[in-house]
Amino acid sequence: QVQLVESGGGLVQAGGSLRLSCAASGRTFSSYTMGWFRQAPGKEREFVAAISWSGTTYYADSVKGRFTISRDNAKNTVFLQMNSLEPEDTAVYYCAARRSIVVATTRNEYGYWGQGTQVTVSS
């Protein structure tokens, strides 16, 4: 069982940066694939980024080059550094965990979710 708690969301102007954190419980964090998803009002939850146990990263095309996912296995934490933010990035951001070393980019392949943190980018 894994419990996830996100933090770091907030209000930022377009072009600004935010760093999201996700603290995970559990002794086997390092063997989980971790992901970030987001959901804007009236839209489906969509994949943003994922990182494997070994540090291999994957990104949605819409954030590639602007967002960076990383993890600190010693601290059971995964991060999402978001730069050059755009109003279209406004959403609730969710941390997710997948009990597999195989990385996935679809929502239904992740079994554990955090409560979400709001990111609002003003124009």
Side-chain angles (χ1 to χ4, degrees), residues 37-77:
F37 289 73
R38 66 187 182 186
Q39 188 166 16
K43 295 189 176 181
E44 294 291 319
R45 192 171 300 186
E46 65 176 4
F47 170 75
V48 175
I51 186 166
S52 73
W53 67 276
S54 61
T56 302
T57 57
Y58 301 80
Y59 297 96
D61 288 343
S62 59
V63 307
K64 204 171 292 184
R66 300 188 297 123
F67 291 11
T68 302
I69 187 172
S70 61
R71 65 191 297 164
D72 184 339
N73 288 335
K75 296 183 178 180
N76 282 13
T77 303

Side-chain angles (χ1 to χ4, degrees), residues 6-12 18-20 36-41 82 85 87-95 115-122:
E6 303 99 333
S7 61
L11 173 64
V12 64
L18 282 174
R19 189 191 197 204
L20 305 183
W36 286 97
F37 289 73
R38 66 187 182 186
Q39 188 166 16
M82 305 186 294
L85 283 161
E88 293 73 22
D89 296 315
T90 295
V92 177
Y93 282 71
Y94 296 90
C95 176
Q115 81 288 350
T117 186
Q118 176 70 47
V119 171
T120 303
V121 184
S122 63

Side-chain angles (χ1 to χ4, degrees), residues 90-114:
T90 295
V92 177
Y93 282 71
Y94 296 90
C95 176
R98 168 176 163 81
R99 193 174 181 181
S100 171
I101 62 171
V102 178
V103 175
T105 59
T106 56
R107 174 183 177 181
N108 61 3
E109 294 182 278
Y110 286 79
Y112 304 97
W113 293 85

